[in-house]
Amino acid sequence: MIEDDIKEVYFSKEQLAGIVKKLGEQISRDYEGKNLMLVSILKGSVIFMADLMREITVPCNIDFMCVSSYGSETKPKGAVKIIKDLDINLEGKDLLLVEDILDSGRTLSCVCKILKTRNPASIRICTLLDKPDRREAMDIKADYSGALVPDEFVVGYGLDYDEKYRNLPYIGVLKPEIYNRPKNEE
Ligand code: IMP
Ligand code: MG
């Protein structure tokens, strides 16, 4: 069972629902009369996106973008490669980038630079979780943030470790022996 690998639950299913509802209300107020387009950064934000869009009461478009940081595992580093680009024309759209977790900020810094060249009316960031202590890209801040987390590796509700644990309905901290375990023991 994947649950056996979790040391501690940080946000229960019910707490997450409350956090997402509050964000949806805030976004709905702020984007009244605007041209809202939610951009989910795959794959981590997929569950958050699905729940958040149902808490938003103003009209919106959605699209998906998949990027990969060249680094891997617990500390992503370096530039970003576009794996799947957006399909919708961004001209005049009020973009809201939907992220699972804002860590160094490098991913969103690169994504914002790319998307700015396509003439959207505005770009803002909505992240479920924020690790402000780890920020390296100083131009990046969350306009909407569900909760702050300390510098620990969290999984569940879309967030992965090595592509696993995305299907946990809550967010928890992995037992350190999981990520310290040599690959051939898995
Ligand atoms: P950044 O570019 O350093 O801000 O990295 C953001 C991405 O790193 C997130 O979208 C996640 O995919 C991944 N990430 C960062 N911290 C965690 C974590 O604690 N758990 C799972 N994924 C994480
Ligand atoms: Mg990830």
Side-chain angles (χ1 to χ4, degrees):
M1 292 249 295
I2 51 175
E3 291 215 317
D4 300 337
D5 297 350
I6 302 300
K7 184 173 80 174
E8 188 188 338
V9 174
Y10 261 21
F11 301 102
S12 69
K13 203 172 159 179
E14 293 72 27
Q15 283 171 319
L16 288 169
I19 289 170
V20 174
K21 188 170 172 16
K22 223 188 259 172
L23 288 171
E25 285 166 1
Q26 231 180 315
I27 292 165
S28 302
R29 266 199 309 274
D30 294 354
Y31 283 85
E32 181 91 56
K34 304 245 172 149
N35 216 344
L36 175 60
M37 178 167 158
L38 299 173
V39 173
S40 158
I41 311 295
L42 295 172
K43 305 171 199 169
S45 74
V46 74
I47 298 179
F48 175 42
M49 173 77 162
D51 286 345
L52 179 67
M53 63 190 278
R54 285 177 286 181
E55 298 293 347
I56 292 177
T57 53
V58 295
C60 69
N61 290 171
I62 64 165
D63 206 347
F64 299 87
M65 187 168 187
C66 187
V67 296
S68 82
S69 50
Y70 286 99
S72 66
E73 305 196 333
T74 52
K75 299 205 191 283
K77 277 235 167 352
V80 152
K81 182 166 84 176
I82 298 183
I83 311 286
K84 185 224 167 283
D85 207 340
L86 299 174
D87 300 323
I88 298 180
N89 185 341
L90 303 189
E91 201 117 358
K93 296 279 198 311
D94 292 297
L95 296 191
L96 186 57
L97 307 185
V98 178
E99 248 296 30
D100 53 355
I101 187 163
L102 198 47
D103 188 40
S104 73
R106 286 163 179 266
T107 310
L108 281 187
S109 177
C110 289
V111 168
C112 281
K113 274 187 201 121
I114 296 166
L115 298 183
K116 262 181 199 154
T117 65
R118 303 183 190 173
N119 296 323
S122 63
I123 304 187
R124 282 178 161 185
I125 293 169
C126 173
T127 188
L128 177 63
L129 304 178
D130 193 357
K131 286 181 181 169
D133 295 346
R134 302 239 324 143
R135 198 63 29 81
E136 289 171 32
M138 292 307 168
D139 55 325
I140 292 299
K141 62 161 186 51
D143 298 286
Y144 303 93
S145 153
L148 300 183
V149 281
D151 184 7
E152 272 196 281
F153 202 77
V154 291
V155 294
Y157 197 72
L159 290 133
D160 73 305
Y161 169 66
D162 203 14
E163 294 298 330
K164 285 194 286 252
Y165 307 104
R166 294 195 198 274
N167 55 328
L168 275 177
Y170 54 82
I171 288 178
V173 189
L174 270 186
K175 292 179 179 163
E177 60 261 36
I178 303 298
Y179 46 83
N180 292 328
R181 183 196 286 166
K183 288 272 179 216
N184 57 8
E185 280 182 26
E186 280 177 7

